[in-house]
Each structure stands twice: as C-alpha cells, then as structure tokens.
Amino acid sequence: MINMALEKVKMPLQDGASRSKNFDEVALGYTKEMAMEEAMRCLNCANRPCVSGCPVKVNIPDFIACVAQGDFAKAYAVIHESSSLPAVCGRVCPQETQCEQNCIRGRKGEPVAIGRLERFVADWYREHGSKQTPQISDNGHKVAVVGSGPD
Ligand code: SF4
C-alpha cells in the first residue's frame, strides 16, 4: 500500500545535551519499521526519474521496493550492482540536488528519502549480511598500482 504522507519519515537524532558530549553521529538512522514506512512512499515510477539523477545509476525504485517488502538483503544486492559504497553515499551524497531532486513525490511535498533508505540498507547489511570474503580466481593478468596516497 502506498504511503501518501507528504513528508519524509523523520530521522531520529541525538538530543542536544547528549551530542555536546560525544563525537558520535548526530543522525541515528532509521529503524526497519521507519525504513519500510518511508519506502512505501515510493510510486515505483515507470520512467525512473530518480535514477537519471544518480551519478552511478543505482536502481533506486527496485531497491526501495525491496525495503518496502522487508527484504533488506535483496535491497542491498540491488544497490551493490551499481555501488560499493552505499553507507557513504547514503550519508554524504547531495541527494537534494541528485536523485531526490528528480523524485516525483517532491512535486507535492517532500521527495522520497532515498539517501536515508540507502544508508539504512547499508547499515542493516553491515549488521546482518554475509561476512564471507568474496572468492576471486586468478585470471593470469598482473596489475601495478602506481601511487597510493599520502605517506
Ligand atoms: S522518482 Fe521518487 S517516487 Fe518515483 S520511483 Fe524514484 S524514488 Fe520512487
């Protein structure tokens, strides 16, 4: 069922008294209930305007549909087809000038909280996802890495 609320589900924050005494993140992230409620705001638009605003073309409607169904592992798999850094992108990407700027829900009310949902999926996967190291087979090619940053 579509959630027609005009505003995004609010992100819980540390209160001022606490955050003045620590260096933890101020934004605490969605719970799974909050994420599913927000994901239900997505209309799964056929022409996918949000995807065209994403520099790496994450399949946004499909990963959000998985979140709405509570299938967070599949949501992570969908994101991972295009991006290996969803925990970072979900926090620091300027979604307001990229994917969320193009979101149809933003024409009347706030856009779908795509960044918050991406962050939620990445954090959920870090807690619950596979801990197996990917198996990579030798293909016979050699590479050299030149330069490795400061130091
Ligand atoms: S534009 Fe907004 S409502 Fe449409 S599919 Fe993308 S996130 Fe969902």
Side-chain angles (χ1 to χ4, degrees):
M1 192 175 71
I2 303 234
N3 170 3
M4 290 310 293
L6 296 182
E7 295 184 353
K8 297 174 179 177
V9 173
K10 298 254 181 295
M11 173 78 94
L13 304 173
Q14 281 198 62
D15 65 76
S18 308
R19 74 196 207 201
S20 67
K21 295 183 176 59
N22 66 55
F23 292 102
D24 296 337
E25 281 186 288
V26 173
L28 299 174
Y30 280 161
T31 64
K32 66 180 180 181
E33 291 79 14
M34 290 172 184
M36 291 172 71
E37 184 183 345
E38 179 61 23
M40 282 188 243
R41 295 185 64 232
C42 177
L43 303 175
N44 212 334
C45 309
N47 57 352
R48 308 179 155 229
C50 48
V51 178
S52 64
C54 174
V56 294
K57 301 290 177 272
V58 168
N59 188 340
I60 293 165
D62 283 10
F63 103 71
I64 292 180
C66 294
V67 175
Q69 291 159 10
D71 191 344
F72 309 131
K74 191 166 175 199
Y76 183 84
V78 171
I79 295 173
H80 198 250
E81 289 169 4
S82 317
S83 171
S84 296
L85 298 169
V88 176
C89 297
R91 286 172 166 82
V92 303
C93 265
Q95 293 100 12
E96 66 281 4
T97 61
Q98 298 179 337
C99 53
E100 292 187 16
Q101 185 177 49
N102 288 1
C103 176
I104 294 294
R105 290 298 306 263
R107 290 188 185 173
K108 187 176 179 186
E110 292 184 328
V112 174
I114 300 167
R116 293 177 186 177
L117 292 173
E118 185 179 26
R119 166 190 165 137
F120 166 79
V121 170
D123 291 353
W124 182 92
Y125 190 81
R126 190 182 62 222
E127 292 289 317
H128 303 95
S130 169
K131 302 285 186 270
Q132 286 185 334
T133 306
Q135 298 301 306
I136 300 167
S137 53
D138 189 345
N139 65 5
H141 296 290
K142 293 185 176 178
V143 296
V145 178
V146 179
S148 59
D151 201 35

